[in-house]
Amino acid sequence: MQDFGLPTWMEHIPRWQQRLFLAALFGAELSAPRAFDEHGHNFYPPILAVNKWDGFVESGSLFLEGVARLLSQFGVITTKISTRREQTNQDGTVSYRLRLILSSTPDNLIRLWGQIGFEYNLRKSALASAVAQYLKHKVQVLQTRTEAGKAAVAMRIAGVPRSEIHLELAGVYTSTGFLEHSLYRDPDRAVCVGGQFATFEKYRHEATAGLGQSGMVWERIASIEPVNYDGDVYDFTVDHPDHNFVANGFVVSNCGVRLLGSHLDIEDVRPYIDRLADAMYRSVPSGMGTKGNLHLNQAELDEILAKGSKWAQQEGYARPEDVAHTEERGQMAGADPAKVSAQAKKRGMGQVGTLGSGNHFAELDVVTEIFDANTADVFGLRRGQIAVQVHCGSRGLGHQVATDYIQAFQAASKRFGYELPDRELVCAPLDSPEGQSYLAAMNCAANYAWANRQVLTYQLREAFAEVLGGRVPNWDLFLVYDVAHNMAKIETHWVEGREQRLCVHRKGATRAFGPGHPDVPADYRTVGQPVLVPGSMGTASYVLVGTAEAMRQTFGSCCHGAGRVMSRSAAKRAVRGQTLQQELERDGISIRAGSMAGLAEEAPQAYKDVERVVAVVEAAGIARIVARLEPLAVIKG
């Protein structure tokens, strides 16, 4: 009720001090975030209220105006200051209530609760953190729906059939009904978030589960993109005697790349490229959730998990030289099928011999350039030669293994006293029962992936025989090498002058052992291990060879691809799958894809320049360029 205002110097102090003042004030006086009851997607405008006796109303208004000016420095918009008579007091004086009303648009609330928030009020602070993250999701969905609606109209004007519009644009938040409605609605009218979007209360219940009033929310990483930064960075250590841990990033799905060579030249197959593309597409089942042609029982699946490529050899899907030219000979020791859940096995039961979706592919290539003639000769590569690349992993089984152990490690993380900023960073010491179980399950996923790529090789050999049998002298495919990435392995390396057993996690990386290493196939040991670096479906790929320098610098590791510069969602916004297919085919690359949206995700412009990537790798000395391959046909899920 007193006469006070905001000091003028408050508007000139550092921003962080202004934020502390506002957050402390708001913790006591600003209304708490609250969603409308009707649908739960929108929020009431935040209100900062003060009560003043008659005679002090002007100072109260000046105080709120000062707060509004401070808020404007954070980009937070206020709408008005209202004044109303509140009550007549016992002494005859009159009290007035002044209210500073803030804009309730999503962007404004994100700035308010994301940048300023509340201090000294745990309930409000935790609630504001959840609302800010919820509204970020809402803004993304609104943007997705707006862009999809505009794209639908543009495609319709261009004469694209409705069925193709639906195929290209339909998604979780852009149903066919929404797309149809977009064709007739007022284009200037703002879209709503849609019925598929969760209410705030439902989101909050899931996003803050187990976190109490910490102010944290569970969230998934949407993309990882490089930024230009030249400043301090910080690392963390693990408070455990063994100074190591296993986290979700260790087990992904043991993706890998396999390179098959041939005895064919480009001129031998040029008349048959489209027919080969069709046969490869039929022989390599692709797409999310796709089932393969093998019908396995539980005992057979367990054998795959334990034996990997050796199972494929005993069943007639692999040759001895295939196994010899596979990393670890296609079988990780220590795999224990009992550590893989029934749900993971169920998902993997029907997917052996399938490609999957995302960035997985099968590709018909031609070797266009040789940089190291001696090493290329050892690998069986020559200029003008036809080759095939396969990139895939352990499919739904590997994904489920990761999901299962994220959940299992929740309790382990608490037991070992780890405080986590993200629930997917759950962890446990490597030598703990949980850590050992995880490694055993991961090794099963690796073996499954090797068996999967080996069965795909068998099916690709059949496709070549179907198209080229009787038309060319020798249509056989031989395995140059199969190497995994996104994998953690126990290996021996020299550290500080002595050999040590290490857990080497190659996330976004692949093995690149140098010459003389006993784990390199005997016929390659004089030159080193083949290193496979695919580009994108419209650019070149490279075969490199590991070096002794890689053993010294990177524990025998190298990049496993060009790497993305654009997230999948950004690529889909920037590129139309059908247009991309037409452009690639004009460039002489046959495309077979089950999803135009999936094709757009993997557009060449979404990736770094592979030429520069391998040049940097060679300049660093961790691998040496051997051969360049260019695509003739690409199979995508």
Side-chain angles (χ1 to χ4, degrees):
M1 298 295 185
Q2 298 174 344
D3 192 5
F4 60 83
L6 194 69
T8 55
W9 53 261
M10 185 72 74
E11 298 181 35
H12 306 290
I13 60 176
R15 187 69 55 83
W16 66 269
Q17 293 178 348
Q18 293 176 342
R19 182 258 157 196
L20 281 175
F21 165 75
L22 290 171
L25 174 66
F26 293 166
E29 303 296 343
L30 188 70
S31 59
R34 180 187 167 196
F36 283 105
D37 296 332
E38 290 84 353
H39 46 68
H41 297 148
N42 297 330
F43 291 81
Y44 285 96
I47 295 174
L48 177 65
V50 295
N51 289 337
K52 289 290 183 179
W53 285 334
D54 192 12
F56 298 124
V57 171
E58 183 178 357
S59 69
S61 181
L62 291 174
F63 171 74
L64 293 180
E65 288 173 4
V67 171
R69 287 194 298 273
L70 284 185
L71 286 170
S72 69
Q73 297 193 44
F74 293 85
V76 176
I77 299 169
T78 55
T79 59
K80 65 177 181 178
I81 297 174
S82 67
T83 304
R84 76 180 183 196
R85 181 170 176 154
E86 189 73 4
Q87 65 183 30
T88 301
N89 303 309
Q90 291 182 353
D91 61 0
T93 59
V94 178
S95 294
Y96 290 85
R97 188 168 183 82
L98 290 80
R99 303 192 309 164
L100 175 65
I101 303 173
L102 282 63
S103 168
S104 62
T105 64
D107 287 339
N108 201 57
L109 295 181
I110 290 169
R111 287 190 290 270
L112 171 66
W113 289 323
Q115 295 183 41
I116 301 173
F118 299 92
E119 290 288 347
Y120 312 117
N121 191 316
L122 287 178
R123 183 184 67 84
K124 286 184 180 179
S125 179
L127 194 58
S129 295
V131 172
Q133 195 62 25
Y134 173 79
L135 289 173
K136 289 177 184 178
H137 285 288
K138 180 179 177 180
V139 169
Q140 290 173 345
V141 170
L142 289 172
Q143 182 179 353
T144 297
R145 285 167 65 86
T146 299
E147 291 175 354
K150 291 179 179 178
V153 172
M155 292 171 71
R156 185 61 177 161
I157 292 172
V160 178
R162 277 187 168 84
S163 59
E164 291 189 21
I165 295 175
H166 296 168
L167 181 65
E168 180 78 21
L169 300 176
V172 175
Y173 300 111
T174 53
S175 65
T176 55
F178 166 77
L179 295 173
E180 284 294 315
H181 181 66
S182 298
L183 299 177
Y184 305 105
R185 63 188 295 277
D186 180 357
D188 295 325
R189 182 181 173 187
V191 301
C192 63
V193 77
Q196 294 298 319
F197 191 68
T199 65
F200 172 65
E201 283 306 314
K202 181 178 179 181
Y203 168 83
R204 183 165 72 99
H205 177 74
E206 296 175 355
T208 63
L211 297 176
Q213 293 186 344
S214 65
M216 295 188 294
V217 295
W218 299 123
E219 189 56 275
R220 291 185 179 276
I221 297 172
S223 65
I224 300 175
E225 300 178 359
V227 296
N228 292 322
Y229 179 72
D230 185 19
D232 292 334
V233 295
Y234 300 89
D235 199 358
F236 67 92
T237 188
V238 178
D239 185 16
H240 187 271
D242 293 333
H243 195 68
N244 57 36
F245 63 95
V246 176
N248 174 40
F250 266 37
V251 178
V252 183
S253 58
N254 175 231
C255 291
V257 181
R258 170 170 290 219
L259 176 64
L260 302 167
S262 78
H263 306 283
L264 300 164
D265 291 321
I266 177 62
E267 297 308 321
D268 295 329
V269 303
R270 196 180 297 279
Y272 310 109
I273 288 175
D274 281 340
R275 292 176 62 182
L276 269 176
D278 290 337
M280 289 171 66
Y281 188 58
R282 289 193 302 271
S283 299
V284 178
S286 59
M288 186 176 295
T290 300
K291 300 296 184 182
N293 299 318
L294 270 64
H295 301 287
L296 304 171
N297 58 37
Q298 185 64 61
E300 289 170 324
L301 180 62
D302 283 350
E303 204 170 0
I304 289 173
L305 299 180
K307 294 183 177 180
S309 292
K310 291 184 180 177
W311 168 87
Q313 183 180 357
Q314 78 183 29
E315 296 299 320
Y317 296 108
R319 304 166 183 171
E321 57 269 29
D322 293 340
V323 175
H325 283 178
T326 302
E327 180 184 359
E328 298 293 338
R329 296 182 62 84
Q331 181 183 24
M332 286 293 294
D336 183 356
K339 302 301 182 182
V340 178
S341 71
Q343 178 62 22
K345 291 178 181 179
K346 180 180 178 181
R347 292 183 66 179
M349 186 74 75
Q351 292 188 331
V352 178
T354 65
L355 194 63
S357 59
N359 64 346
H360 294 162
F361 65 84
E363 189 172 282
L364 181 69
D365 294 316
V366 58
V367 179
T368 57
E369 195 165 356
I370 297 295
F371 298 87
D372 181 337
N374 177 62
T375 303
D377 186 59
V378 172
F379 292 165
L381 300 175
R382 67 184 189 283
R383 188 168 183 173
Q385 177 187 18
I386 292 297
V388 175
Q389 288 187 92
V390 178
H391 174 211
C392 67
S394 53
R395 304 289 280 110
L397 180 138
H399 188 280
Q400 189 65 45
V401 166
T403 300
D404 291 338
Y405 279 90
I406 289 172
Q407 295 173 355
F409 274 27
Q410 297 285 345
S413 295
K414 293 178 182 177
R415 182 160 60 86
F416 288 105
Y418 301 139
E419 295 184 5
L420 307 174
D422 187 309
R423 65 177 171 182
E424 292 203 359
L425 293 177
V426 288
C427 53
L430 196 62
D431 62 353
S432 68
E434 294 89 348
Q436 289 298 299
S437 294
Y438 197 16
L439 284 179
M442 179 196 66
N443 290 338
C444 286
N447 290 341
Y448 182 99
W450 276 314
N452 184 35
R453 290 194 290 275
Q454 188 59 56
V455 172
L456 285 170
T457 298
Y458 179 88
Q459 293 166 179
L460 285 165
R461 285 168 172 158
E462 288 190 324
F464 267 61
E466 173 192 332
V467 175
L468 301 177
R471 295 182 173 89
V472 297
N474 188 347
W475 58 85
D476 189 42
L477 296 172
F478 61 88
L479 179 57
V480 177
Y481 202 59
D482 180 304
V483 63
H485 51 260
N486 294 347
M487 177 79 175
K489 297 174 67 180
I490 307 300
E491 297 175 350
T492 300
H493 291 273
W494 283 90
V495 181
E496 297 179 346
R498 63 188 180 92
E499 284 191 333
Q500 296 189 42
R501 294 285 284 169
L502 307 175
C503 182
V504 181
H505 177 210
R506 296 185 176 98
K507 172 62 178 170
T510 190
R511 201 180 75 172
F513 281 2
H517 196 287
D519 289 344
V520 175
D523 49 344
Y524 296 161
R525 204 165 292 160
T526 58
V527 295
Q529 174 212 305
V531 178
L532 309 178
V533 181
S536 69
M537 58 188 160
T539 65
S541 297
Y542 281 85
V543 179
L544 295 83
V545 65
T547 63
E549 188 63 22
M551 305 305 294
R552 287 189 288 270
Q553 286 193 45
T554 62
F555 303 106
S557 306
C558 174
C559 67
H560 85 277
R564 300 188 74 95
V565 294
M566 189 184 296
S567 69
R568 287 185 166 86
S569 57
K572 285 195 290 187
R573 289 195 297 269
V575 180
R576 275 193 61 203
Q578 192 173 36
T579 302
L580 174 61
Q581 181 177 17
Q582 293 168 353
E583 291 172 352
L584 291 171
E585 292 191 342
R586 278 198 299 269
D587 291 338
I589 304 171
S590 294
I591 302 295
R592 302 293 185 272
S595 164
M596 291 297 104
L599 193 68
E601 288 181 357
E602 299 303 310
Q605 53 265 50
Y607 285 85
K608 298 174 187 173
D609 182 351
V610 70
E611 313 282 347
R612 295 180 63 189
V613 170
V614 296
V616 169
V617 167
E618 186 168 59
I622 57 176
R624 199 172 64 253
I625 301 173
V626 176
R628 185 178 193 268
L629 292 75
E630 294 184 8
L632 300 171
V634 180
I635 312 303
K636 298 286 293 182

